[in-house]
Amino acid sequence: FGSSPSGSQDSEEAVFKMNVSWVESRASSFLARAESVFSSQEESTSELSKAQVSSRLMEFGTIIGSCFVVLGLLAVCSLYKKTGVLSLGPLSWSGAAGWMWRGEPIFGKSGQQHKKLNQELEDLDEEEILQAQANRNAEYPCQHRLRGFVLFVLFCIYVGASLGIPYLKRGTVSCSNGFFWEDHMLFGAVVFATKIVELSIFAFDPTIFAGDQGLFEFFKLFLPSMLGFVDGYTDSTAITIAASCDTPFSQNLAISMLTTYCLGVILLQWIVIGGLALFDDSHICLMKLLHMDALAGCVNIPPDQEWKWRLINYARTFGEDIPQAIQQSLFMIYVKDNSFMLLSVAVSVGCSCKALRDALTRSRIVQGAFDLLAADVPDAPYSYGDAQERAYVPGGSATLIEE
């Protein structure tokens, strides 16, 4: 209380300077920590010891496993949000009917009668279904256009990450240990974000119908699609690893791998088919290029887009998976047995088999055709009644539960 005005002013300035210096020190500390996270102290992975490699594999493997668990839980929630029922084989549960076994309630509720619909997917009129889908898209134009825009942005990010990360991090790659796991985490973030978007579209897009899809059917598409998503990235990293080896065979093999990658992936899939996919109003081709198989499995294929669907799968098998798997196998036999290269070969072979199966067996009309027609034609015999709630028989036709 006895200090002069000038003394008070000097004290305030001192406090202000002290606060500024504290903020600067905290900012410097934060930037230093961020730099340590996104960059490694070692100049190359060749400087890592076997103990460090094993320890880092355990640490980052735990992170990746946790992300898989989170995505699995979100997938279950998304499936229940869309269908209102969770089913695994003959056992199912829904909020409307409780636990059911082969469509019949285990703990029955009074006043419920079950009435199976006789329509099968092959008996439905394809033109009627496609027209109903067009009407549904026209009913929600903003959501439909937004979905196309989001898929296009994700496709650009996917291509940029698959090419950019291996190129920018090529200076730290070694023939023996490959990339730092921190570098892979950047692409892992792209995978996680893309799958979150896929689940969000699946759960909340009013133009998407999943029918009576059960947990097994959903995860049979969702889980392998994550491996397919990283296939383009692992092929790109395999080229960088091969180029980091100093043997003449590995250098020539890297050139060969790069050539087939540029022709079979960048040119054929991402440029040619990616350009064709922009003219697909159903967005199913973009979904397939982004490996959103669970989402694409809920979209009817228009007849004029079926050849693009088959072209994507054939291009992926014969333009990418088979050539890359052969060349990466040669690398492991004659150059270096690299664990990440082995993963890339396994993913390529698995994705090749799946792509061929999708090309040959995928039906144009999906299970959600019942729901689509019910939403488009309220008075149809397969539609919702005024006092009816919808449940599903796992793996088969739909069921109406009348209160």
Side-chain angles (χ1 to χ4, degrees), residues 6 13 21 37 78 150 163 181 224 266 312:
S6 59
E13 291 179 357
S21 64
V37 170
S78 299
V150 170
L163 299 177
W181 276 102
I266 298 177
I312 292 173

Side-chain angles (χ1 to χ4, degrees), residues 5 8 28 50 77 108 126 130 199 274 311 345 384 402:
S8 175
S28 300
K50 290 185 177 181
C77 295
E126 182 176 315
L130 295 176
L199 293 175
L311 179 61
V345 172
Y384 300 95
E402 298 180 358

Side-chain angles (χ1 to χ4, degrees), residues 113-368:
Q113 296 177 351
H114 295 264
K115 174 185 174 183
K116 290 187 178 180
L117 297 176
N118 296 321
Q119 291 92 344
E120 298 294 340
L121 289 178
E122 58 267 19
D123 297 331
L124 298 178
D125 186 2
E126 182 176 315
E127 293 185 2
E128 183 182 4
I129 293 172
L130 295 176
Q131 183 59 47
Q133 184 69 70
N135 295 341
R136 189 69 173 180
N137 295 341
E139 186 178 352
Y140 298 93
C142 294
Q143 291 91 329
H144 187 67
R145 286 194 295 267
L146 178 62
R147 186 180 75 188
F149 175 76
V150 170
L151 292 176
F152 175 73
V153 171
L154 286 175
F155 178 68
C156 294
I157 295 174
Y158 170 58
V159 172
S162 298
L163 299 177
I165 294 175
Y167 177 78
L168 294 176
K169 300 297 183 178
R170 67 191 186 280
T172 62
V173 178
S174 68
C175 185
S176 56
N177 294 325
F179 286 77
F180 284 112
W181 276 102
E182 289 87 344
D183 303 334
H184 295 316
M185 290 299 102
L186 298 175
F187 189 81
V190 176
V191 177
F192 190 80
T194 302
K195 289 303 171 182
I196 290 293
V197 173
E198 178 184 6
L199 293 175
S200 299
I201 296 175
F202 177 86
F204 299 104
D205 191 336
T207 66
I208 296 292
F209 294 91
D212 59 347
Q213 198 172 74
L215 288 170
F216 178 77
E217 290 80 8
F218 181 84
F219 280 102
K220 184 174 64 175
L221 296 173
F222 186 73
L223 292 179
S225 70
M226 285 191 276
L227 297 178
F229 190 89
V230 304
D231 188 30
Y233 172 73
T234 56
D235 288 342
S236 182
T237 57
I239 297 171
T240 310
I241 294 173
S244 68
C245 302
D246 54 3
T247 64
F249 180 82
S250 64
Q251 294 295 317
N252 293 331
L253 189 61
I255 296 174
S256 174
M257 294 166 66
L258 179 61
T259 301
T260 55
Y261 189 83
C262 289
L263 295 176
V265 180
I266 298 177
L267 178 61
L268 183 56
Q269 293 185 49
W270 292 346
I271 295 179
V272 175
I273 301 180
L276 293 173
L278 297 178
F279 300 95
D280 171 26
D281 190 58
S282 68
H283 304 148
I284 191 171
C285 293
L286 267 179
M287 295 174 187
K288 187 61 180 177
L289 287 173
L290 281 167
H291 300 272
M292 295 183 173
D293 293 352
L295 186 61
C298 299
V299 178
N300 300 301
I301 303 178
D304 59 339
Q305 301 297 326
E306 187 174 13
W307 68 275
K308 296 180 185 178
W309 173 268
R310 295 184 183 275
L311 179 61
I312 292 173
N313 291 289
Y314 289 140
R316 185 166 292 162
T317 299
F318 300 107
E320 176 187 4
D321 295 333
I322 293 179
Q324 292 295 330
I326 293 174
Q327 294 172 101
Q328 291 166 17
S329 298
L330 292 175
F331 177 89
M332 291 189 297
I333 294 173
Y334 295 105
V335 182
K336 181 69 176 178
D337 186 8
N338 186 285
S339 58
F340 205 79
M341 195 81 75
L342 178 62
L343 173 64
S344 181
V345 172
V347 170
S348 293
V349 173
C351 291
S352 176
C353 297
K354 186 178 185 304
L356 274 180
R357 179 182 179 278
D358 289 344
L360 298 175
T361 62
R362 170 62 152 85
S363 174
R364 287 204 300 262
I365 303 303
V366 297
Q367 294 184 64

